[in-house]
Amino acid sequence: MKISDIQIQQVNDRISALIEADSFYGKKLREAGVSSVSTPEDFEKLPFSEKKDLREAYPLGLMTAPEEQIVRIHSSSGTTGLPVIIPYTAKDVDDWGIMFKRCYETAGITNMDRIQITPGYGLWTAGIGFQNGAEKLGAMVIPMGPGNTDKQLQMMQDMKSTVICATSSYALLLAEEIKKRGIGDKICLRKGVIGSERWGEKMRESIKNQLGIELYDIYGLTEIYGPGIGINCKYDTGMHYWDDYIYIEIIDPVTGKNVPDGEMGEIVITTLVKEGAPLIRYRTHDLSRIIPGECECGSRFPRIDVIMGRTDDMMKIKGVNVFPSQIEEVLSEFSEISSEYQIRISHLDGKDTMRIYVETSGSVDFLDLSGRIAERVKSRIGFTPLVKVVEVGVLPRSEKKTKRVIDERFD
Ligand code: ZN
């Protein structure tokens, strides 16, 4: 998926704006002697931008439009160190809404839908992003924000919500709660739009079956508008993304070189028309691939695969490179276990050890099951983990993103 002439022109406009504003990246480009690009090869030589650099620009170093045009800021969660502050112009907010509206439309959601939004509102981009797009679409928004499951379920019944927007873990929690309370026949949901957390096929099936709804993965990150830059269509063959607003490349996370279409690597995003804080070649650390060819739905928009993990999730266990998604794939082959799991990596007696916690019902022989899972991991991935089987419900479930991989070696 080479960058087109139009996109190169848009990139040049952004480079000029950055340099003129003398913002954080304007300075970097000027120092690197970059003023414009003319070929795809030139473009691939532009320096990457990184989250750690964005933190250096705190608080408003990324601001590239004049102050009087900035209408809002958002911030990434900043669990370590300084948060990243992204300024938006009115046009940026509008563009984001247009993209998000497209996401809803791609998912077959219309202005007759009632959209219950459970991601959080505030500094981060989730709740308000879902809301902007829904209002542009003309749907009725039920702006719940996170938590308070009793109230969520009450409103879901009384307002007859037809669409739920949530993280995968919260969608699962709601699905389990609806089943437990036996209120399934009072729920009118038909679709779920699920935030860009990496989640397994098993969890997906579990939510889908318990609620009887279609599920759509929405992609996005605060640094690049927020959620809404891509979503899968009903054919479920990866996520369409909006290449009139963003340009996506896939690179080898180690060498930084572009990989051929179809090959797995790190998603790198360039914003093509963003004014408040344009980003050139931003490394997301999300792993995916470009899906070559056309989608059955006839959409002209290109596709990336669902997010397969994070480059920083890559674990080295006994000399073997492992991604959590590989473990997840093995676990999904065991019908006796639930969709929840936890991976803990520690350094014991001079050796890296992986423990995998899985859940099953009491009727299964725990010892036999753990042996079979360990064996399957060994044959597929090349090392033997310690597998601990527990009762269903023991592993933590959360309203936010559930942390499934815990690396105790660095604690
Ligand atoms: Zn499609």
Side-chain angles (χ1 to χ4, degrees), residues 338-366:
S338 81
S339 59
E340 291 294 330
Y341 64 90
Q342 201 175 73
I343 297 171
R344 285 180 175 267
I345 303 149
S346 46
H347 201 71
L348 290 175
D349 310 322
K351 282 187 301 189
D352 289 336
T353 315
M354 179 187 284
R355 281 168 294 153
I356 305 173
Y357 291 83
V358 297
E359 291 182 338
T360 189
S361 69
S363 60
V364 173
D365 181 340
F366 283 17

Side-chain angles (χ1 to χ4, degrees), residues 25 41 57 117 136 152 164 181 197 206 213 215 222 224 233 271 276-277 315 338 342 345 351 361 365 390 392 406:
Y25 276 111
E41 292 69 34
I117 298 173
K136 259 208 174 2
Q152 298 277 5
I164 180 84
R181 299 179 189 199
E197 180 186 21
S206 176
I213 61 175
L215 292 178
T222 303
I224 314 286
C233 66
T271 64
M315 307 168 281
S338 81
Q342 201 175 73
I345 303 149
K351 282 187 301 189
S361 69
D365 181 340
V390 297
V392 170
I406 297 160

Side-chain angles (χ1 to χ4, degrees), residues 304-337:
I304 50 170
D305 211 332
V306 292
I307 306 304
M308 306 301 285
R310 301 268 308 160
T311 55
D312 8 84
D313 285 346
M314 200 165 81
M315 307 168 281
K316 209 169 182 130
I317 306 292
K318 299 174 185 171
V320 183
N321 281 337
V322 189
F323 286 105
S325 50
Q326 292 174 287
I327 304 283
E328 201 169 273
E329 211 174 287
V330 172
L331 296 180
S332 72
E333 292 165 11
F334 290 85
S335 58
E336 322 69 324
I337 61 179

